């Protein structure tokens, strides 16, 4: 009763702009729009018959609601079938008959009571031993997860760098003990530094392994010349590890005296607030995450920062955050909130986003890790 269905619209003109929706008749009341995601997951469906309908839109936003549909039958578990109920009834009759015979044997009553007491004592001892074993196993797993969490946190910067002329703030909240998001800094000299933010596939221990690889690459490989080369070298390392369908989205900002160069591999847009226009300009980079394909050419964008300009980097844990109505937070809300809070400090901008995100999700448990990095250009004294 838990499964995932993958699908794709056969429209090859600007196919990355295809959008999708699904409706599980008998479970959903209305279409659920999921943007460009090409899969729908269902968990713990009650037994019954359903019709899963898939709709899609092309790059012009034209929807086809007469798309595919499939019939899905969820069978009841074995213990709720007619055969099981019959077996339970027979078992109950046998137990009642055995009890009657037990009571009728007065001569053996005391002996059987003693045997029952002895057996009960043994069962209690066995249950206590099993409980202790389970408790010790849970404690071991908890300690291992805690060690993994500490290891991952140790790979993140222990403190934010002091960058002359910039106000910087960072926020990360993981969905599980070990997350798959990542951020880092590398300073070469005054006003020449790098900022990185990444998002591994999923979360948990596997994602933690990917974060470890990227931390090693960010620390060890050359980044002072060409980010494109760094991306491809990282992909080669990841593919050599044979990690299967485990990839890493990564954005890197390379700063100099005037502004920065921006390259991204499979990450959400960079949101740039231009203080002179009062508008937010998303910098969209269409690319594959690290570990997908070798020798890709990644786009490079150059931006000049002026006083009070703001740069916001986020993982998809924010843009793909659902509310109780299964609506996505989306990039448009990110733009609107950044415009409203851009006059604040970097820490205050982060706090504004945290408050709105918590209100949007009703403080529900995160389905994905959420990371934000804010950089604000300070006025020149």
């Amino acid at each position: 009763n838990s499964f995932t269905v993958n699908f794709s619209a056969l429209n090859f003109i600007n196919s990355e702009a295809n959008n999708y929706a699904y409706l599980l008749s008998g479970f959903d009341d209305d279409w659920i729009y999921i943007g460009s995601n090409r899969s729908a997951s269902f968990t713990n469906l009650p037994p019954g018959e359903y019709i899963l309908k898939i709709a899609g839109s092309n790059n012009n936003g034209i929807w086809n609601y007469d798309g595919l549909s499939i019939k899905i039958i969820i069978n009841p578990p074995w213990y709720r079938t007619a055969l099981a109920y019959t077996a339970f009834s027979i078992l109950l009759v046998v137990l009642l008959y055995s009890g009657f015979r037990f009571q009728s044997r007065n001569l053996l009553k005391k002996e059987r009571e003693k045997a029952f007491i002895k057996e009960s004592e043994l069962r209690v001892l066995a249950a206590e031993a099993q409980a202790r074993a389970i408790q010790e196993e849970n404690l071991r797993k908890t300690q291992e997860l805690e060690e993994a969490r500490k290891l991952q946190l140790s790979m993140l910067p222990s403190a934010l760098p002091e960058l002359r002329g910039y106000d910087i703030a960072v926020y990360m909240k993981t969905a599980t003990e070990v997350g798959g998001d990542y951020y880092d800094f590398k300073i070469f000299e005054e006003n020449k530094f790098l900022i990185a933010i990444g998002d591994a596939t999923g979360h948990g221990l596997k994602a933690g392994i990917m974060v470890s690889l990227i931390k090693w690459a960010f620390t060890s490989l050359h980044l002072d010349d060409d980010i494109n080369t760094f991306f491809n070298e990282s992909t080669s390392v990841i593919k050599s590890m044979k990690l299967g369908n485990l990839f890493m989205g990564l954005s890197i900002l390379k700063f100099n005296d005037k502004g920065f160069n921006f390259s991204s591999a499979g990450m959400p847009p960079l949101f740039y607030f231009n203080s002179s226009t009062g508008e937010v300009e998303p910098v969209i980079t269409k690319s594959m995450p690290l570990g997908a394909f070798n020798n890709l050419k990644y786009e490079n964008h150059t931006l000049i920062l002026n006083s009070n300009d703001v740069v916001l980097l986020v993982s998809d844990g924010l843009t793909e955050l659902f509310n109780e109505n299964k609506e996505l937070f989306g990039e448009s809300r990110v733009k609107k909130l950044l415009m409203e809070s851009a006059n604040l400090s970097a820490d205050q901008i982060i706090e504004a986003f945290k408050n709105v995100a918590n209100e949007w999700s009703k403080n529900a448990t995160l389905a994905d890790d959420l990371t934000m990095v804010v950089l604000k250009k300070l006025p020149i004294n």
Side-chain angles (χ1 to χ4, degrees):
N1 61 356
S2 297
F3 57 92
T4 297
V5 177
N6 299 306
F7 42 80
S8 181
L10 299 181
N11 173 56
F12 304 103
I13 301 176
N14 196 13
S15 59
E16 62 272 12
N18 294 342
N19 289 312
Y20 301 89
Y22 68 85
L23 172 64
L24 187 62
S25 297
F27 185 76
D28 296 322
D29 295 328
D30 201 354
W31 288 95
I32 297 176
Y33 295 87
I34 56 176
S36 60
N37 290 330
R38 296 191 294 107
S39 65
S41 296
F42 305 91
T43 58
N44 298 324
L45 285 178
E49 294 187 2
Y50 305 88
I51 300 296
L52 176 60
K53 301 178 181 179
I54 306 297
S57 73
N58 63 10
N59 54 297
N60 291 322
I62 300 176
W63 283 89
N64 173 20
Y65 289 97
D66 298 326
L68 296 178
S69 65
I70 59 174
K71 183 177 181 180
I72 297 172
I73 300 175
I74 306 297
N75 291 323
W78 65 268
Y79 51 82
R80 292 176 59 185
T81 61
L83 180 61
Y85 290 144
T86 301
F88 294 156
S89 299
I90 294 174
L91 180 60
L92 180 60
V93 170
V94 171
L95 291 175
L96 291 174
Y97 177 73
S98 299
F100 174 78
R101 285 180 59 85
F102 175 78
Q103 294 295 332
S104 67
R105 297 179 180 179
N106 296 325
L107 296 177
L108 299 177
K109 184 176 181 180
K110 292 184 178 180
E111 309 296 335
R112 297 199 173 190
E113 286 179 351
K114 292 179 180 180
F116 178 77
I117 293 173
K118 185 64 176 179
E119 184 180 359
S120 298
E121 291 175 349
L122 292 175
R123 287 179 178 177
V124 170
L125 293 175
E128 291 176 350
Q130 184 179 14
R132 286 195 298 270
I134 294 174
Q135 184 178 12
E136 291 174 358
E137 178 65 13
N138 290 338
L139 178 60
R140 182 186 65 81
K141 291 180 178 179
T142 301
Q143 290 174 342
E144 289 180 354
L145 285 175
E146 179 63 17
E147 291 298 323
R149 186 186 70 84
K150 290 180 180 179
L151 177 61
Q152 185 200 22
L153 293 177
S154 69
M155 291 184 289
L156 301 176
S158 58
L160 296 179
E162 295 184 3
L163 305 174
R164 190 170 66 86
Y166 294 96
D167 182 19
I168 188 168
V170 175
Y171 172 74
M172 174 184 285
K173 185 177 182 180
T174 59
T176 59
E177 288 84 354
V178 182
D181 280 6
Y182 168 73
Y183 67 87
D184 214 337
F185 309 95
K186 181 178 285 189
I187 300 177
F188 299 108
E189 56 189 64
E190 188 176 20
N191 289 332
K192 186 178 180 182
F193 57 92
L194 297 174
I195 295 178
I197 182 173
D199 183 3
T201 305
H203 41 78
L205 291 177
K206 287 186 177 180
I209 292 173
M210 180 61 76
V211 170
S212 301
L213 285 176
I214 294 303
K215 174 66 176 182
W216 169 84
F218 189 77
T219 304
S220 304
L221 299 181
H222 294 292
L223 269 164
D224 52 347
D225 295 323
D226 185 11
I227 297 176
N228 191 80
T229 300
F230 168 77
F231 280 168
N232 280 293
E233 288 178 349
S234 299
T235 291
S236 297
V237 172
I238 293 170
K239 292 181 75 68
S240 69
M241 298 292 292
K242 302 186 185 309
L243 299 174
N245 294 325
L246 192 60
F247 308 106
M248 184 75 187
L250 188 66
S251 293
I252 293 182
L253 284 71
K254 181 179 179 182
F255 283 81
N256 51 39
D257 292 334
K258 296 182 179 179
F260 64 89
N261 293 326
F262 169 68
S263 292
S264 179
M267 287 290 287
L270 174 147
F271 297 92
Y272 164 58
F273 173 76
N274 189 328
S275 60
S276 61
T277 64
E279 298 293 331
V280 172
E281 305 168 12
V283 181
I284 302 174
T285 303
K286 299 178 181 179
S287 59
M288 299 296 293
L290 304 182
F293 299 101
N294 287 318
N295 301 319
L296 292 180
K297 180 65 177 178
Y298 293 90
E299 297 178 18
N300 184 70
H301 302 271
T302 300
L303 290 176
I304 304 301
L305 290 183
N306 298 310
S307 296
N308 296 316
D309 286 357
V310 179
V311 173
L312 171 64
L313 294 167
V314 299
S315 65
D316 59 12
L318 177 63
T319 56
E320 297 179 4
L321 184 65
F322 284 96
N323 65 4
E324 59 185 355
N325 298 321
K326 298 183 179 180
E327 298 172 323
L328 287 173
F329 192 82
E331 296 176 7
S332 60
R333 288 185 176 84
V334 176
K335 291 173 55 179
K336 181 176 181 295
L337 183 55
L338 182 57
M339 282 191 293
E340 294 173 350
S341 60
N343 62 317
L344 304 174
S345 68
D347 282 328
Q348 291 171 330
I349 294 174
I350 289 286
E351 196 64 28
F353 271 88
K354 286 169 54 179
N355 292 336
V356 172
N358 289 334
E359 182 179 354
W360 176 262
S361 64
K362 303 299 183 184
N363 292 310
T365 302
L366 293 179
D368 196 5
D369 305 324
L370 193 160
T371 302
M372 296 180 284
V373 177
V374 173
L375 191 76
K376 184 171 185 177
K377 180 74 171 179
L378 298 176
I380 299 176
N381 295 327

